[in-house]
Amino acid sequence: MLVARRAGGARALHESHTARVVRVEVMTAKLPFRFSFGHALAQRRSSENVYVRLTLEGPDGAATGYGEGVPREYVTGETVESATRALCERYVPAALGRQVCGADEVPAVLEEVAAAGSSGNGGLDLAAWCALELAFLDAAGRLLGQSVGRWLGGAGAPADVTYDAVIPLLPPPAMAPLAAICRLAGYARVKLKVGQDLAADLKRLRVLRRILGPRVDLRVDANCAWTADEALAALARMRRYGISAAEQPVAADDLDGLRRVTAGAPEMVIADEALRTVEEAAELARTRACDAFNIRVSKCGGLLNSRRIARIAADAGLACVVGAQVGESGLLSAAGRHLAASLPSVRYVEGSAGRLLLREDLTEENVLPGWAGRARSFVRPGLGVRVKETTLDKYAAARRVFEAPATAPAIPLN
């Protein structure tokens, strides 16, 4: 049953009634960082993201939801400009005026919008679609009075989530204080970015292992930096420091190389940049090219596709990592937490950096994890976080508003 919340309380929107997309706003915003964050593919001090603000209206009320996508040209081929075009020219027109009747219809409606807005030329619009899907789910959840976890298939009460520490590419002398912070904060799992200089990587690993101790799970992420031969040689030298896993050791399109590393290294090999779509997940699983998937909500085209990818991993006996985009706000952090909470088993969870990385986050809620990386699940309707509209407006740049005509015909569900 759809529920519209107003100041006077909740009202029911019966299944025979419909909610309709009446307004969509597309904008971009550049979020500045507190410090520079780097890995083998990029170094950045800010992140320019795309945002969608979408309103669903029913007979007894309306609800507005928010979505975010983080375009990365070196991952999905998207730029902020191309993602904005995909939204304004294809996905928003496909969504505007669309009607939904009941909670169970929400995924079907989103599938129809995605199909209608697809470019058909094989290009990936994953961050763009993620922003619109999250806004739709957030608005529907608010109108329903339900969490977006309703559509992720999680059983029972949402689980709390435990995050890992992620250390960027920094000089070896910076490792000691960072390792001490991780240890004092109680983190049991730490990921180190590597891949620019093997000698420096080994020094940094040595410092980390010395300070963190033998029990902390320590893994590395090369972000496509090596060939298969280089990866196998580097991992052999890193093995003395007890690393548990290596993420994306080779170029995203080098699936043969990825398979070689997976077959030749005892460490868990995690696919990240090589994994973006449901089809790529199926191929990686079929060919046993990796041991685990790093599922990032924006990179993988939203929550529903991310959940489909996680099911492929489970069916193939592969582990799941719930990752994050550098520079995402509390909106995507909330989405990632919902995904992690919905999965029966997650090996690693990353992200939710919030105010630690961003000068100003966009949500009222502080998404930073607490002691030992532990964080409560969001249980409020929709994504469970409230956007600080003044902060979003402060950083917003390009902006377009689309409104459905009051007399627009109903769009029936197929």
Side-chain angles (χ1 to χ4, degrees):
M1 179 180 294
L2 290 173
V3 176
R5 299 196 179 276
R6 286 181 171 175
R11 290 189 176 187
L13 181 64
H14 299 290
E15 296 293 339
S16 59
H17 294 157
T18 60
R20 178 168 169 264
V21 179
V22 296
R23 190 176 192 273
V24 182
E25 184 174 357
V26 177
M27 65 194 88
T28 65
K30 190 172 185 179
L31 307 182
F33 295 174
R34 293 183 182 275
F35 55 86
S36 178
F37 191 101
H39 53 70
L41 288 175
Q43 183 87 22
R44 60 182 69 252
R45 295 195 62 89
S46 64
S47 182
E48 191 170 7
N49 306 340
V50 294
Y51 295 91
V52 171
R53 184 156 41 198
L54 181 148
T55 300
L56 278 172
E57 187 176 79
D60 297 314
T64 296
Y66 293 83
E68 177 181 34
V70 183
R72 292 284 187 264
E73 190 169 10
Y74 53 82
V75 178
T76 63
E78 293 171 279
T79 64
V80 171
E81 293 75 18
S82 72
T84 302
R85 283 197 306 272
L87 283 165
C88 293
E89 296 176 6
R90 293 188 275 111
Y91 287 127
V92 172
L96 207 61
R98 189 75 57 161
Q99 298 190 30
V100 60
C101 180
D104 291 342
E105 302 288 359
V106 169
V109 170
L110 282 168
E111 284 188 20
E112 290 184 355
V113 174
S118 174
S119 66
N121 62 6
L124 298 181
D125 301 312
L126 298 169
W129 173 249
C130 175
L132 190 136
E133 183 205 78
L134 291 185
F136 195 106
L137 291 174
D138 191 33
R142 291 172 185 272
L143 204 58
L144 286 159
Q146 295 188 26
S147 165
V148 298
R150 163 73 173 73
W151 296 288
L152 296 179
D160 289 347
V161 174
T162 301
Y163 287 85
D164 310 341
V166 179
I167 298 178
L169 275 174
L170 293 170
M175 288 300 103
L178 280 176
I181 291 171
C182 291
R183 181 166 180 170
L184 289 172
Y187 280 98
R189 301 185 297 265
V190 175
K191 181 170 92 169
L192 176 67
K193 296 287 189 177
V194 298
Q196 284 190 346
D197 183 327
L198 181 56
D201 290 339
L202 295 170
K203 290 178 183 177
R204 291 154 65 223
L205 282 168
R206 182 171 66 248
V207 172
L208 285 173
R209 182 54 77 196
R210 175 173 56 82
I211 296 175
L212 294 174
R215 295 184 179 179
V216 169
D217 183 312
L218 182 59
R219 66 188 189 276
V220 296
D221 181 4
N223 288 106
C224 308
W226 298 319
T227 65
D229 287 338
E230 289 170 342
L232 290 167
L235 294 177
R237 297 185 64 183
M238 292 176 174
R239 200 159 290 141
R240 65 183 296 183
Y241 302 112
I243 60 170
S244 60
E247 185 171 321
Q248 198 60 51
V250 299
D253 60 356
D254 184 9
L255 297 190
D256 288 337
L258 189 62
R259 278 190 287 271
R260 280 188 57 206
V261 178
T262 300
E267 294 81 14
M268 173 184 288
V269 174
I270 304 167
D272 182 8
E273 284 84 357
L275 169 71
R276 301 165 300 178
T277 67
V278 173
E279 294 75 19
E280 288 172 345
E283 179 66 9
L284 288 166
R286 184 187 68 81
T287 58
R288 310 302 298 183
C290 61
D291 302 306
F293 290 167
N294 186 334
I295 306 171
R296 295 187 269 164
V297 176
S298 178
K299 176 195 72 169
C300 293
L303 277 172
L304 300 183
N305 276 337
S306 293
R307 193 64 177 85
R308 293 180 184 109
I309 290 170
R311 289 194 184 100
I312 291 171
D315 291 343
L318 304 179
C320 277
V321 178
V322 174
Q325 300 288 150
V326 176
E328 66 184 32
S329 80
L331 277 168
L332 268 170
S333 295
R337 193 172 302 179
H338 280 292
L339 177 65
S342 76
L343 300 180
S345 177
V346 183
R347 181 65 60 93
Y348 302 116
V349 183
E350 304 162 6
S352 215
R355 300 170 193 173
L356 176 64
L357 178 62
L358 301 177
R359 288 186 191 172
E360 292 184 89
D361 203 351
L362 300 183
T363 56
E364 296 283 355
E365 291 76 12
N366 181 3
V367 301
L368 279 173
W371 165 256
R374 298 188 187 99
R376 292 184 178 275
S377 297
F378 297 111
V379 296
R380 288 176 176 168
L383 287 170
V385 293
R386 296 161 296 177
V387 170
K388 295 187 287 188
E389 295 192 9
T390 55
T391 304
L392 178 56
D393 290 342
K394 172 182 175 181
Y395 291 110
R399 187 193 305 258
R400 287 190 64 182
V401 177
F402 303 81
E403 294 187 356
T407 56
I411 302 175
L413 296 174
N414 293 327

